[in-house]
Amino acid sequence: MLEIGKRREFLSPRYRWVYESADKGKALLLSQALSIPAVIAEILIKRGMSEPELVRGFFKSSLNSTIDPFIMKDMYKGANRLAAAVKKGEHICIYGDYDVDGITAASLMLLFLKTLGVNADYYIPNRLDEGYGLNINSIKEIAQKGTKLLITVDCGISAFEEAAYAASIGIDLIITDHHQAGDNIPTAQAVINPMRKDDPYPFKMLAGVGVAFKLCCAVRSVLRSDPEFNGELPNLKQFLDIVALGTVSDVMPLYGENRIMVVHGLKILSSSDVRVGIDELKKAAGIEKVQFSSTHIAFALAPRINAVGRLGDSYRGVDLLISTDRLKAQETAKQLNRENLFRQELENQLLNEIYEKIAKDGSFTSRRGLVLFSPKWHPGILGIAASRIAERYFKPTIILTEDDGLLKGSARSIPAFNLYEGLASISDLFLSFGGHKYAAGVKLKAERGEELIERFDAAVKSALKDEDFFPELYVDAVLPPREINAGFMDALAGLEPFGAANHQPIFITTGVKKLGKVAFVGKDDPKKHAKCTFQKDGVILSAIGYNMNFYRDILNTHDRFDILYNLSYNTYNNITKPQLVLRDLRVSL
C-alpha cells in the first residue's frame, strides 16, 4: 500500500511514479462541504483549490466571472481607436500568425468586425517564405490597399522596426499579443499584452485569441456607451467556439478565464448550431457525431488547421472559420484533411529516417543531447519531429534542415533541462536563437553543425544527472476499485475540460489480479493494444492499454500488478460502463 501523506516514488520498467497525497483532513472537509468524493477533493486541493467557494466557481465557470478587459494596459487606447475606425468606416487589416492560435485570433476579429458592418482585410505571413510576425514587405503590401489601421493578433510584441515603419507611412498600429515582453515595447497606438511587465491584468495566461477576444469585449463596451453609434452590437458569446479552438490548440493552461471561455466554447462546438466551417472540418475528421471535448480540438481539429500553416499557406484556415458557404467550406475542409495526411506522411518519413539513423549509429547511446540534420527534411515539421524524438528517447533534441548554407530548425526538451539556458551557454554557435524552457528555434551556419552536435551534448551532460533521464508519471490519487461508479464518474467529469495545467487525472490501484488471458487488439501487426480484465476487493475492472506491446511478456507471465490509469466510459453492445485506460504498470511486489 502507498503511505498516505508522504511523497513516495516507485519504479516501473519505463517510468518513475511519483505520488504525494493532499492533506487528508482538508480533503475530507472539502468533500463534505461540496458533497463530492474525497478522491476528487484530493485532486482539487493538489491543483490549488482548497476553499469551497473557489471550487464552486471552478465547477460553475460562469461568464460573469471573467475579468474587466479595461484592466489590461492600453486597452482603453486600443478599444477607442478601433471603435473610431468602425464608426468612420476606415480600412482595417488584421495581421495574424500561421498557427491555430493566430488563425483563430484573426478569424475572431474578422467575424466580430463583420457583425459591426466592417469588411476588414487580413494578412497571414507565409511560414516558409516570410517567417513569424510582422515584416516590412507585408506592411508595404497592406498599405497599398489603403489601410489606415493595422491590428496584430498573436504577434507583434517584438516588432520594433516594423512598428516604426508603419507609423512612418501613416498606418496606425494596434498590437495584441500574449508572448513574453521584454523591458521595452514597440511604439504603437496601443500595445495590448497581459505579459507586459507593466500590465496589471491578473490573469497572464491568455492565448493570442484570448487577448483578441478581450479587445472585442472592450470595443463593444465603448460602442455601447457611444450615443453616436446606432449599429447593432453582437452577443460575443457566439465567438467562444473560436476562442476555445485557439486556446486549447496553443496548449494554454485550462484554469481561470481560459477554463471559463473553453467550457462555453465547447458547448457551442458540441451543438447542432456549430459554425459551418467547423462542422465540415469535424466531418472531414470523422468526429461529427461524438460528444465534443478538448481532446477533439487537440488531436482532430488543431492538426488539420496547423497543417496548412506548417506547409505554407494559412489563408485556407481563416477562410474555413469565417465561411458561411457550406459547399465552399466542405471543399476547404477536405483540403485541410489532405494537407494533414500529407503532413503525417512527411512526418513519418522523417521520423523513420531518424529512428534508423539512431539505431545504426552507436554514438547516440552515450549522447545526452541529440542533434540531427538533413537537407531533405521539410522545415514545417521539424518542431513536431523534435517533440517526438525528445519524448521517445527522453533527451533534449534539436532537429534541423539545411538550406543555402544554413541550418535552421527546432529544439525540444525534457523537464529537467532548461533549453533556453542551455542554448544560451553555446550561443556563439548561432546566428539567432530564441524560445523558452521547453521549446526553441535556432539558426546557424551549416559548417558549424558538427560542432553543435558535440557542444549541445556537453551542455546537457554538464547540467543534468543520470536520474534526470528517467521519465516521471505523477499520480493524482489512490483509487479503491469500489469507488468507481456512476456518481464518481459524474464528479470526475466536473473537472473537465482537461488540458494543460488541468490534466486528466492519473489514478493508482495496487495489487490487482489478472483474470484470464490478455488479448492484444488493433489494426497493427503485431497488434499492440492490450485488453485486460483485473479484479480487486471483489470488483471486476475492465481495462484497455494503448501501445502496450512493450509489456506483452510481463502481462502474459504475471498475475498481479500495480497499475496507473485514467478513467473513461466505454460503450459495447449498447451497454456503457467505466473503463480503465492504462498509462503504465508494474508487477506487484
Side-chain angles (χ1 to χ4, degrees):
M1 292 292 292
L2 292 174
E3 189 173 346
I4 304 300
K6 295 184 179 180
R7 177 184 171 95
R8 299 293 301 274
E9 296 185 359
F10 302 86
L11 293 179
S12 80
R14 301 184 74 177
Y15 294 96
R16 179 188 293 114
W17 301 353
V18 180
Y19 173 74
E20 185 172 4
S21 78
D23 182 278
K24 190 174 182 180
K26 287 184 178 180
L28 181 60
L29 288 173
L30 187 62
S31 169
Q32 292 172 341
L34 298 176
S35 299
I36 59 175
V39 170
I40 300 298
E42 177 181 356
I43 294 169
L44 289 164
I45 290 171
K46 290 169 74 172
R47 296 184 184 186
M49 291 173 282
S50 58
E51 298 299 324
E53 201 58 38
L54 187 63
V55 175
R56 288 190 184 99
F58 176 83
F59 284 146
K60 190 175 181 181
S61 295
S62 170
L63 287 170
N64 292 328
S65 299
T66 56
I67 303 165
D68 181 354
F70 290 106
I71 296 175
M72 207 175 294
K73 191 80 172 179
D74 276 6
M75 186 62 83
Y76 274 108
K77 295 179 183 178
N80 279 290
R81 178 64 186 90
L82 179 51
V86 170
K87 287 165 56 181
K88 294 176 185 177
E90 291 181 333
H91 193 279
I92 301 170
C93 182
I94 310 300
Y95 195 105
D97 183 32
Y98 42 69
D99 68 0
V100 181
D101 190 17
I103 289 171
T104 52
S107 301
L108 167 68
M109 292 301 302
L110 292 166
L111 289 166
F112 170 66
L113 290 171
K114 186 176 181 180
T115 64
L116 297 175
V118 178
N119 288 313
D121 281 335
Y122 73 97
Y123 190 97
I124 308 288
N126 185 288
R127 180 180 191 136
L128 305 181
D129 298 334
E130 298 175 86
Y132 170 78
L134 280 170
N135 66 78
I136 289 176
N137 286 335
S138 65
I139 296 174
K140 289 178 180 178
E141 182 180 331
I142 289 166
Q144 290 174 357
K145 297 181 179 180
T147 299
K148 297 298 182 184
L149 179 61
L150 178 61
I151 304 172
T152 74
V153 289
D154 194 32
C155 64
I157 195 62
S158 59
F160 294 92
E161 183 181 352
E162 293 82 2
Y165 178 75
S168 74
I169 61 173
I171 293 179
D172 285 348
L173 176 65
I174 295 174
I175 292 171
T176 75
D177 202 348
H178 73 125
H179 295 99
Q180 188 68 50
D183 293 330
N184 300 309
I185 59 172
T187 300
Q189 292 287 313
V191 180
I192 302 169
N193 183 346
M195 296 299 287
R196 282 179 57 166
K197 294 185 177 181
D198 60 347
D199 193 295
Y201 198 75
F203 187 72
K204 301 294 185 182
M205 303 308 294
L206 291 170
V209 70
V211 178
F213 182 74
K214 301 304 284 191
L215 175 59
C216 294
C217 294
V219 171
R220 187 185 188 280
S221 178
V222 169
L223 292 173
R224 185 179 183 183
S225 61
D226 186 342
E228 296 180 2
F229 181 76
N230 298 315
E232 287 191 24
L233 293 171
N235 182 344
L236 297 181
K237 186 176 178 180
Q238 66 180 292
F239 303 123
L240 288 175
D241 57 339
I242 302 286
V243 179
L245 180 54
T247 299
V248 173
S249 299
D250 217 44
V251 201
M252 302 309 294
L254 294 188
Y255 58 78
E257 280 197 300
N258 286 342
R259 173 181 171 83
I260 294 170
M261 293 187 291
V262 170
V263 164
H264 290 274
L266 285 171
K267 290 178 182 177
I268 300 172
L269 289 166
S270 299
S271 73
S272 58
D273 195 29
V274 67
R275 206 173 298 277
V276 168
I278 294 177
D279 190 38
E280 291 302 326
L281 191 60
K282 287 169 68 175
K283 290 177 182 176
I287 57 169
E288 71 272 23
K289 295 181 180 179
V290 303
Q291 179 61 40
F292 206 78
S293 72
S294 54
T295 301
H296 296 106
I297 292 178
F299 294 102
L301 301 190
R304 286 166 171 80
I305 298 173
N306 255 332
V308 289
R310 291 186 184 281
L311 302 179
D313 176 15
S314 297
Y315 281 83
R316 284 172 291 172
V318 177
D319 290 344
L320 180 72
L321 294 179
I322 66 175
S323 178
T324 57
D325 183 327
R326 184 165 292 277
L327 288 177
K328 182 180 177 182
Q330 186 179 74
E331 180 53 38
T332 305
K334 289 178 179 178
Q335 289 176 10
L336 266 61
N337 200 51
R338 289 194 292 269
E339 290 278 2
N340 190 51
L341 291 172
F342 181 55
R343 188 270 306 169
Q344 290 174 331
E345 184 180 330
L346 289 176
E347 180 187 330
N348 289 333
Q349 290 174 356
L350 190 158
L351 289 173
N352 288 333
E353 188 174 333
I354 292 175
Y355 296 152
E356 186 176 348
K357 183 178 179 67
I358 290 175
K360 288 182 176 179
D361 187 341
S363 68
F364 283 101
T365 303
S366 61
R367 294 193 184 280
R368 294 303 202 184
L370 304 181
V371 178
L372 300 106
F373 50 84
S374 168
K376 298 186 297 181
W377 296 341
H378 194 289
I381 57 172
L382 299 181
I384 299 176
S387 295
R388 297 283 189 272
I389 299 301
E391 181 181 347
R392 176 167 176 148
Y393 298 98
F394 208 68
K395 296 177 180 181
T397 301
I398 303 175
I399 306 294
L400 306 157
T401 191
E402 184 177 347
D403 181 46
D404 197 24
L406 296 176
L407 291 172
K408 304 176 188 177
S410 297
R412 297 293 185 269
S413 196
I414 60 176
F417 185 69
N418 188 310
L419 185 59
Y420 184 85
E421 292 179 0
L423 294 175
S425 72
I426 54 173
S427 60
D428 58 291
L429 285 171
F430 304 120
L431 297 172
S432 64
F433 80 97
H436 51 78
K437 181 178 179 180
Y438 292 112
V442 301
K443 180 167 69 174
L444 67 158
K445 292 181 179 179
E447 62 203 47
R448 306 200 73 176
E450 294 299 326
E451 186 179 357
L452 175 62
I453 291 174
E454 300 302 327
R455 291 182 59 187
F456 183 64
D457 180 47
V460 175
K461 285 178 176 174
S462 67
L464 302 186
K465 306 180 292 294
D466 286 346
E467 54 263 36
D468 293 327
F469 295 93
F470 204 84
E472 294 179 335
L473 283 175
Y474 288 87
V475 180
D476 288 279
V478 178
L479 184 57
R482 63 180 177 278
E483 294 193 22
I484 303 174
N485 54 39
F488 182 86
M489 296 297 287
D490 287 344
L492 181 62
L495 301 180
E496 296 183 27
F498 297 127
N502 187 44
H503 61 268
Q504 189 174 8
I506 297 178
F507 300 105
I508 184 170
T509 302
T510 57
V512 300
K513 182 181 179 182
K514 181 181 70 176
L515 297 181
K517 293 183 178 181
V518 174
F520 278 83
V521 299
K523 297 179 181 179
D524 299 289
D525 186 18
K527 300 179 188 303
K528 58 184 181 182
H529 307 317
K531 195 172 182 180
C532 322
T533 303
F534 300 116
Q535 182 185 48
K536 184 176 181 181
D537 299 334
V539 179
I540 305 297
L541 303 168
S542 297
I544 183 75
Y546 297 107
N547 300 310
M548 298 289 284
N549 198 48
F550 176 86
Y551 289 104
R552 184 182 295 267
D553 290 342
I554 295 173
L555 283 165
N556 285 335
T557 56
H558 294 83
D559 294 317
R560 200 171 291 274
F561 304 94
D562 303 333
I563 55 175
L564 299 190
Y565 56 92
N566 306 125
L567 276 171
S568 68
Y569 274 119
N570 180 55
T571 300
Y572 182 71
N573 285 340
N574 294 319
I575 299 174
T576 299
K577 294 181 179 180
Q579 177 177 251
L580 281 56
V581 181
L582 297 176
R583 296 293 300 275
D584 197 33
L585 60 85
R586 69 172 196 166
V587 178
S588 292
L589 300 178

